[in-house]
């Protein structure tokens, strides 16, 4: 996902932008650029499409002086990654510079019209039309924000735009539609960014722009206008995230840091919500009318990638404990398959970013069909969080590594809480059972720590043994089948090794053909209702000389006969085994990717939030 950082104030803007943009690198990008409005009254641009070069190299032949600037990390959608296509883009006279996230769907038509009028284009991007449109609009009005409002009327698509003009020193204007922007307010100036980590070192005072808003910033003033054009006051919020949370703090990679942060992330997601002694859950935002919950006939969980795997676990929880039919669906499938949804369906979207295009579209489709909607999200005030009827936040803090780890375990934690809440309301979970579940739920953070402390050396050894293999198979059954899928996805993403996840019972229906004396087969065989069935699967793999790696319950000596590659998991209630089992699989992927020398935090071709279809 592309990132935007813009600043106007009393400090040197280029330095601030480079620092801010470096904090957005985690989102994945293929080029970077800044435009600075200098004291000479000219806009100076620096752009680079060589990702391997550090951002600071942009400035190796001198920092452009100036106190107003816009910057961008680009993840190519329209036009290949190149210096010419890197943002900021400028108008013909070079007096307007613009950065943009999203897609201008009608840019071809606009470009044709503009070319007919004599505009000269220098890139293949959709974004450049905005700079040329602004050039025309500024002939109609000298007010920069008004010109942007007129330009917006021509645009179809989704966008977060920030722009500067050589004729308007100290000013930045911005607009959003279906793509977030946040204003940061400080004594040294004002900021516009697409993502909070970019401003955390400078300020914690922020305003989340709302869909349709335009904003006008100067070093000491800011004005916001809603879609209709009327001026509006938006609430200033204070962010509690510490800038340290967005730094590596001595870990070699963000992914490793985030794996080790899971104890805290799960704890914070539980904090203030779980009343252990009563077996009850109270959410800050999700306080539905009990009658509404009692009328729900079906629950549908939707998400993409890792979030979809959380949905699959959620399906087991809801059907087993709430006794309401529940489906888990991939958002990109749901949105096009004419789902049967009505007002008795509760559709819950799960997403780290809250900006995933398919998940948002699926939620909107569900809402249009009359569903009661909810979202489990990590990013506060994200589009999904704003659009859903109900919102449950995962309190994992910013997740910087592209491969999701701590947010996944936090999503599972939120699902356990949701299950308990629904159980409290419907009475499907008896108070004594709810207390038993709560007592174990509160112990999970410590058990995560136990796994990481006691198993990390063993996991590293197992990684060393197998990292050169070209294929891996992950098997799990029942509530741990989604964890086999997640283990495989994590390995693919971080190490580029082909990995397949499969329900263990499906092995003999096809995947068993892959098993030979080379293939590492990771089998989740912690204690639970399918323990004996999984033991048969282990035998089937061993008979074909597969190289078995087991996840087993601490103290279960029966598995010692199968292999020496065993990762031990502390005993827990079966419903919680997915949350504990996924932790060593994340670490296994991490170590294999590290041994292979992969770009762990920013794997090739991936981006942190897939905001385009
Ligand atoms: C996997 C991963 C992706 C995301 C997916 C959904 O590690 O990060 O599979 O889970 O793109 O993203 P969100 O959760 O932001 O909707």
């Amino acid at each position: 996902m592309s990132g935007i950082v813009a600043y106007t104030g009393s400090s040197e803007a280029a330095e601030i932008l480079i620092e801010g943009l470096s904090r957005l690198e985690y989102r994945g990008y293929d080029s970077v650029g800044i435009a600075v409005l200098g004291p000479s009254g000219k806009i100076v641009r620096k752009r680079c499409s060589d990702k391997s070069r550090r951002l600071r190299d942009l400035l190796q032949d001198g920092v452009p002086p100036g106190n107003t600037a816009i910057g961008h990390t680009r993840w190519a959608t329209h036009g290949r990654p190149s210096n010419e296509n890197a943002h900021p883009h400028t108008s013909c006279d070079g007096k307007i510079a613009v950065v943009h996230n999203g897609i201008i769907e009608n840019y071809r038509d606009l470009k044709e019209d503009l070319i007919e009028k004599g505009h000269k284009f220098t890139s293949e991007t959709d974004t450049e039309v905005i700079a040329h449109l602004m050039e025309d609009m500024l002939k109609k009005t000298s007010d920069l924000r008004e010109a942007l409002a007129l330009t917006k009327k021509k645009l179809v698509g989704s966008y977060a735009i920030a722009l500067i003009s050589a004729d308007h020193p100290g000013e930045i204007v911005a607009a959003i539609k279906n793509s977030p922007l946040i204003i940061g307010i400080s004594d040294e100036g004002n900021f516009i960014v697409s993502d909070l980590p970019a401003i955390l070192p400078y300020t914690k005072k922020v305003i989340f722009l709302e869909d349709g808003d335009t904003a006008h910033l100067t070093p000491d003033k800011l004005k916001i206008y809603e879609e209709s054009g009327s001026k509006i006051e938006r609430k200033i919020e204070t962010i509690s995230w510490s800038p340290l949370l967005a730094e590596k703090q001595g870990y070699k990679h963000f992914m490793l840091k985030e794996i080790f942060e899971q104890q805290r992330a799960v704890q914070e997601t539980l904090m203030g919500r779980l009343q252990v002694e009563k077996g009850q859950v109270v959410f800050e935002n999700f306080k539905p009318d009990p009658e509404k919950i009692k009328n729900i006939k079906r629950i549908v969980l939707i998400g993409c990638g890792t979030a979809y795997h959380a949905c699959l676990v959620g399906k087991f929880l809801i059907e087993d404990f709430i006794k309401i039919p529940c489906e888990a669906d991939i958002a990109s499938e749901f949105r096009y398959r004419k789902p049967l949804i009505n007002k008795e369906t509760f559709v819950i979207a799960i997403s780290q970013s809250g900006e995933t295009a398919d998940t948002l579209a699926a939620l909107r489709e569900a809402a249009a069909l009359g569903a009661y909607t909810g979202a489990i999200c990590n990013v506060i005030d994200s589009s999904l969080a704003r659009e859903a009827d109900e919102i449950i936040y995962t309190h994992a803090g910013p997740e910087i590594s592209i491969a999701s780890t701590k947010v996944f375990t936090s999503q599972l934690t939120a699902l356990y809480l949701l299950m308990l809440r629904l159980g409290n309301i419907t009475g499907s979970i008896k108070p004594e059972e709810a207390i038993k579940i709560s007592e174990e739920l509160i112990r999970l953070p410590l058990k995560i720590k136990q796994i990481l402390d006691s198993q990390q050396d063993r996991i590293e050894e197992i990684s060393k043994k197998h990292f050169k293999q070209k294929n891996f198979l992950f098997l799990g059954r029942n509530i741990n089948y989604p964890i086999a899928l997640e283990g495989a996805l994590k390995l693919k993403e971080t190490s580029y090794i082909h990995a397949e996840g499969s329900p263990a019972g499906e092995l003999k229906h096809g995947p068993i053909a892959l098993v030979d004396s080379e293939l590492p087969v990771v089998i989740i065989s912690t204690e639970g209702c399918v323990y004996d069935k999984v033991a048969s699967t282990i035998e089937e793999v061993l008979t074909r000389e597969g190289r078995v790696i087991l996840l087993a319950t601490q103290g279960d000596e029966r598995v010692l006969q199968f292999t020496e590659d065993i990762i031990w998991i502390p005993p827990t209630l079966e419903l919680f085994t997915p949350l504990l089992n996924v932790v060593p699989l994340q670490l296994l992927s991490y170590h294999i990717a590290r041994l292979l020398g992969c770009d762990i935090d920013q794997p090739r071709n991936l981006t942190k939030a897939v905001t385009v279809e």
Side-chain angles (χ1 to χ4, degrees):
M1 185 187 177
S2 305
I4 290 176
V5 184
Y7 168 77
T8 182
S10 52
S11 305
E12 281 302 325
E15 288 287 344
I16 288 186
L17 256 54
I18 295 298
E19 174 67 28
L21 290 169
S22 70
R23 289 167 183 274
L24 298 188
E25 281 185 305
Y26 70 91
R27 294 152 69 107
Y29 71 102
D30 48 49
S31 50
V32 61
I34 59 171
V36 184
L37 177 55
S40 64
K42 284 212 170 98
I43 290 177
V44 177
R45 261 193 306 175
K46 299 262 183 175
R47 298 181 294 170
C48 172
S49 58
D50 181 353
K51 182 185 160 185
S52 63
R53 289 175 53 186
R54 304 215 15 225
L55 264 169
R56 289 209 168 259
D57 288 3
L58 264 186
L59 308 177
Q60 63 187 1
D61 47 349
V63 180
N67 305 115
T68 304
I70 53 174
H72 191 257
T73 48
R74 174 172 187 251
W75 186 63
T77 55
H78 286 65
R80 68 196 190 291
S82 69
N83 280 4
E84 293 69 38
N85 288 335
H87 299 208
H89 291 287
T90 50
S91 51
C92 300
D93 58 11
K95 286 188 166 185
I96 312 284
V98 58
V99 290
H100 159 229
N101 288 351
I103 291 178
I104 307 299
E105 286 164 13
N106 60 338
Y107 86 101
R108 283 179 209 283
D109 295 342
L110 292 172
K111 191 168 175 175
E112 264 174 36
D113 287 353
L114 286 159
I115 289 173
E116 252 176 48
K117 286 187 189 157
H119 286 270
K120 300 257 178 309
F121 279 74
T122 55
S123 79
E124 302 159 312
T125 65
D126 51 339
T127 303
E128 196 182 341
V129 296
I130 303 169
H132 294 283
L133 283 171
M134 280 296 293
E135 191 174 6
D136 281 1
M137 298 308 172
L138 280 168
K139 288 177 187 145
K140 296 183 186 165
T141 170
S142 59
D143 183 304
L144 196 59
R145 196 203 59 85
E146 259 175 48
L148 179 57
L150 292 172
T151 299
K152 257 178 69 179
K153 288 192 179 146
K154 300 260 180 198
L155 305 178
V156 176
S158 60
Y159 48 78
I161 298 167
L163 62 85
I164 53 175
S165 153
D167 292 334
H168 298 80
E171 296 180 42
I172 299 175
V173 288
I176 62 165
K177 186 170 171 209
N178 291 334
S179 190
L181 276 183
I182 304 156
I183 295 178
I185 305 158
S186 83
D187 293 340
E188 281 76 46
N190 289 322
F191 299 77
I192 284 263
V193 296
S194 54
D195 213 50
L196 278 175
I199 39 169
L200 286 178
Y202 304 106
T203 182
K204 289 186 180 159
K205 273 164 65 185
V206 298
I207 295 175
F208 294 97
L209 289 181
E210 297 198 2
D211 216 31
D213 282 356
T214 52
H216 182 248
L217 273 71
T218 56
D220 52 5
K221 284 202 183 64
L222 70 94
K223 290 181 193 152
I224 301 170
Y225 301 80
E226 58 186 343
E227 181 86 76
S228 66
S230 338
K231 192 161 170 289
I232 185 152
E233 297 297 321
R234 299 261 181 242
K235 194 169 137 218
I236 299 178
E237 306 203 20
T238 305
I239 297 302
S240 57
W241 289 359
S242 134
L244 281 179
L245 277 178
E247 288 168 7
K248 284 190 198 146
Q249 290 175 343
Y251 285 94
K252 196 153 183 243
H253 297 97
F254 280 114
M255 182 178 177
L256 188 62
K257 173 179 173 251
E258 286 160 8
I259 290 172
F260 276 82
E261 270 175 356
Q262 290 183 102
Q263 178 189 7
R264 187 191 56 78
V266 169
Q267 225 155 25
E268 298 214 343
T269 302
L270 292 173
M271 212 186 286
R273 294 166 162 179
L274 184 62
Q275 301 174 345
V276 181
E277 56 302 334
K278 293 191 199 150
Q280 287 190 352
V281 167
V282 183
F283 288 111
E284 323 77 89
N285 301 310
F286 177 48
K287 292 189 175 137
D289 173 1
E291 283 316 303
K292 193 160 187 173
I293 298 294
K294 286 179 187 155
N295 286 336
I296 293 170
K297 298 279 183 296
R298 198 157 64 98
I299 295 180
V300 180
L301 301 169
I302 46 176
C304 299
T306 289
Y308 168 64
H309 298 153
C311 295
L312 286 171
V313 175
K315 173 183 162 65
F316 280 89
L317 300 177
I318 285 169
E319 295 204 330
D320 195 1
F321 290 88
I322 312 301
K323 311 293 178 205
I324 294 178
C326 179
E327 285 163 47
D329 215 339
I330 294 171
S332 57
E333 289 296 314
F334 176 92
R335 62 183 291 196
Y336 290 118
R337 73 169 172 80
K338 303 193 178 71
L340 291 178
I341 299 290
N342 58 32
K343 61 179 180 12
E344 292 172 337
T345 320
F346 190 13
V347 176
I348 305 167
I350 303 184
S351 172
Q352 187 285 128
S353 60
E355 304 294 344
T356 301
D358 284 320
T359 311
L360 254 176
L363 187 92
R364 286 177 185 154
E365 173 72 12
L369 292 167
Y372 173 37
T373 61
I376 295 177
C377 252
N378 195 48
V379 177
I380 293 173
D381 218 39
S382 57
S383 304
L384 206 60
R386 275 187 259 141
E387 291 191 26
D389 298 328
E390 309 287 356
I391 169 73
I392 298 173
Y393 285 117
T394 45
H395 294 155
E399 192 176 61
I400 311 290
S401 159
I402 285 186
S404 184
T405 54
K406 63 174 179 172
V407 169
F408 179 67
T409 42
S410 303
Q411 285 166 344
L412 295 187
T413 307
L415 283 165
Y416 292 126
L417 289 172
L418 175 64
M419 175 199 90
L420 278 170
R421 181 79 195 110
L422 296 178
N424 295 154
I425 296 172
T426 61
S428 65
I429 306 178
K430 297 279 162 280
E432 55 287 9
E433 192 184 9
I435 292 170
K436 190 173 145 219
I437 291 172
S438 306
E439 283 170 349
E440 182 59 11
L441 183 49
I442 204 80
R443 287 188 203 116
L444 294 182
L446 208 58
K447 293 193 175 181
I448 293 174
K449 181 172 173 349
Q450 268 173 33
I451 295 172
L452 290 169
D453 288 350
S454 68
Q455 302 299 297
Q456 54 178 324
D457 292 347
R458 184 180 290 264
I459 294 168
E460 210 173 334
E461 266 166 42
I462 295 174
S463 309
K464 281 186 188 148
K465 222 170 178 176
H466 299 284
F467 78 98
K468 291 195 177 139
Q469 294 304 325
K470 296 277 174 277
N471 297 291
F472 267 69
L473 186 58
F474 289 75
L475 301 173
R477 196 154 180 179
N478 201 254
I479 199 166
N480 278 296
Y481 135 62
I483 302 308
L485 300 187
E486 177 60 8
L489 178 67
K490 218 77 309 164
L491 188 64
K492 273 185 271 208
E493 281 180 300
T494 54
S495 70
Y496 318 141
I497 292 175
H498 171 252
E500 186 168 327
S502 169
E506 277 290 290
L507 180 71
K508 50 192 171 302
H509 299 289
I512 199 162
L514 297 171
V515 180
D516 61 14
S517 59
E518 292 291 299
L519 185 75
V521 186
V522 180
I523 307 179
I524 302 172
S525 71
T526 41
E527 279 164 358
C529 64
V530 288
Y531 179 85
D532 291 336
K533 307 281 169 205
V534 175
S536 311
T537 304
I538 300 171
E539 302 273 12
E540 282 164 14
V541 173
L542 287 173
T543 309
R544 282 146 192 101
E545 297 180 350
R547 302 168 76 183
V548 168
I549 301 161
L550 285 186
L551 262 60
T553 306
Q554 186 80 48
D556 176 13
E557 294 193 352
R558 292 166 294 178
V559 292
L560 293 172
Q561 56 173 317
F562 295 131
T563 175
E564 57 185 32
D565 290 344
I566 302 175
I567 299 165
W568 297 108
I569 307 294
T572 186
L573 296 177
E574 187 171 5
L575 79 153
F576 295 129
T577 52
L579 189 143
L580 296 184
N581 286 335
V582 78
V583 174
L585 297 187
Q586 297 165 343
L587 204 53
L588 184 73
S589 297
Y590 171 79
H591 282 302
I592 291 177
R594 184 183 53 78
L595 290 163
L596 290 170
C598 297
D599 189 353
I600 295 183
D601 287 332
Q602 292 174 53
R604 68 183 181 208
N605 306 337
L606 291 178
T607 180
K608 188 63 186 161
V610 186
T611 53
V612 289
E613 195 177 346

